[in-house]
Amino acid sequence: GGKNLGVGGFCCPAGDGVTSLRIAIRLRTPGHGPQADEWGAHSLRDLDHAMKVLIHEVSHIVHGNHSAAFYTLMAELTRQYETYLQKGQVLDEAGMPLTGGRKADAS
């Protein structure tokens, strides 16, 4: 674990605005501190929390800082994810996570 217990993950962008060297997500709450008090020490975070952190970190691949463009992209990715959830469509025909850059809607 890291020293900043509030951090849910981090991204190491490759610098090309398209790929990342690594994305790490904290799957469990820290052993102490406010999150441990609220969620329980070392408890497993839920999938929705992990996806929110992942969307945040993926947005950093394109926009390194927390600019307006960063938050616009994060909002679009969140909207797409929520659309897939509403449709019940998060896996492909083979039972694997959707890939290929398909949008959940026509917009």
Side-chain angles (χ1 to χ4, degrees):
K3 293 182 181 184
N4 186 345
L5 300 179
V7 172
F10 66 88
C11 174
C12 297
D16 60 1
V18 179
T19 56
S20 176
L21 301 174
R22 175 180 3 163
I23 292 178
I25 299 174
R26 185 187 296 264
L27 297 176
R28 295 188 179 275
T29 59
H32 54 27
Q35 289 184 344
D37 295 340
E38 181 179 351
W39 297 95
H42 304 292
S43 62
L44 192 61
R45 301 306 292 262
D46 61 30
L47 177 63
D48 189 57
H49 178 267
M51 284 304 297
K52 287 177 182 177
V53 173
L54 180 61
I55 288 168
H56 179 102
E57 299 307 332
V58 165
S59 298
H60 275 306
I61 295 171
V62 178
H63 303 288
N65 59 8
H66 292 119
S67 64
F70 169 88
Y71 287 109
T72 298
L73 176 59
M74 200 169 91
E76 170 62 17
L77 294 175
T78 299
R79 189 179 66 72
Q80 289 293 318
Y81 172 65
E82 290 171 350
T83 300
Y84 278 123
L85 284 179
Q86 288 171 356
K87 289 181 173 183
Q89 179 184 3
V90 292
L91 302 176
D92 66 12
E93 298 79 25
M96 299 300 291
L98 288 170
T99 60
R102 293 178 277 172
K103 285 193 167 189
D105 57 16
S107 64

